[in-house]
Amino acid sequence: HHWPAPGDVDLVEHQMVFYLGGFWFKGIQDVGFGEAGRRVVGDHKSTSDFKWALSAEALRKNPQATIYLAGEMLRSGAKEGELRWVYYRTKKPYKALRVVEDDGKGSPVVLTQSDVADTFATVILPMVSQMWEWIGMRARGQLPTKALKPNPGRCEKYGGCDHRERCDLTLQ
């Protein structure tokens, strides 16, 4: 009930590559469908608990969602797009949860070209610019790892940090 019939989906595991704001972006969009003026970009997410699911508000500014929808809008010429993020719980009871607007109606999360352009300008481009600056500094030997601000809350996440063996950060 979260997805259309298979014949109505025109993009599955679609590799997208596009240039925007001075940077190349590449990704694999899970699902794409809809009409020329309004496209749906879908993503499958697995989670142990729905508490990790993004809210509609967070999804609207999410970097992955913004990049995928920008790529789809550039590819198709669509003026607006729907973000259809569906979370699948990996523990019993198995269920699926679709992110919808908090309006009591279950309305889809829809963004215009203007919404996407705004998030690209205020979230994506500053983040990517900072990443490239750090990459350049690191390549020139101007950014030693110890100069980066530690984030001890992430040390044990997702199987643990790859740098634990050589890190002198003391955890409480």
Side-chain angles (χ1 to χ4, degrees), residues 6-27:
D8 294 333
V9 174
D10 53 35
L11 297 175
V12 176
E13 296 295 318
H14 171 69
Q15 182 172 338
M16 55 174 197
V17 178
F18 64 95
Y19 186 79
L20 188 62
F23 298 98
W24 283 100
F25 293 87
K26 180 178 180 180

Side-chain angles (χ1 to χ4, degrees), residues 2-4 33 40-43 59 82-86 98-99:
H2 297 298
W3 304 106
F33 60 95
V40 177
V41 170
D43 202 56
L59 183 58
E82 176 186 334
L83 295 171
R84 191 172 295 186
W85 258 226
V86 179
R98 180 173 153 193
V99 178

Side-chain angles (χ1 to χ4, degrees), residues 16-171:
M16 55 174 197
V17 178
F18 64 95
Y19 186 79
L20 188 62
F23 298 98
W24 283 100
F25 293 87
K26 180 178 180 180
I28 298 178
Q29 176 184 328
D30 286 357
V31 179
F33 60 95
E35 304 302 319
R38 179 174 175 181
R39 295 289 297 170
V40 177
V41 170
D43 202 56
H44 303 284
K45 300 290 188 189
S46 58
T47 183
S48 61
D49 193 315
F50 289 142
K51 71 181 180 181
W52 303 113
L54 293 176
S55 66
E57 182 179 345
L59 183 58
R60 292 175 159 282
K61 300 290 184 183
N62 178 268
Q64 179 192 14
T66 300
I67 291 168
Y68 283 15
L69 190 51
E72 182 60 19
M73 287 177 155
L74 287 169
R75 186 195 70 76
S76 69
K79 302 293 183 215
E80 64 179 20
E82 176 186 334
L83 295 171
R84 191 172 295 186
W85 258 226
V86 179
Y87 287 82
Y88 303 95
R89 191 164 47 205
T90 59
K91 295 182 179 178
K92 291 182 181 179
Y94 304 117
K95 289 189 176 189
L97 172 75
R98 180 173 153 193
V99 178
V100 294
E101 293 289 356
D102 187 21
D103 60 3
K105 301 177 198 173
S107 300
V109 179
V110 176
L111 285 81
T112 64
Q113 283 181 337
S114 179
D115 296 328
V116 173
D118 178 63
T119 301
F120 229 88
T122 60
V123 177
I124 306 299
L125 292 179
M127 178 177 60
V128 174
S129 295
Q130 181 69 69
M131 290 167 58
W132 274 109
E133 182 181 335
W134 287 341
I135 289 168
M137 290 173 69
R138 182 85 174 140
R140 294 186 301 274
Q142 298 171 332
L143 184 65
T145 303
K146 299 275 186 191
L148 299 174
K149 181 181 175 188
N151 186 353
R154 295 289 188 204
C155 295
E156 301 302 322
K157 299 286 184 184
Y158 308 106
C161 176
D162 293 336
H163 303 283
R164 284 182 294 196
E165 303 294 321
R166 58 182 168 269
C167 180
D168 61 2
L169 186 62
T170 303
L171 300 176

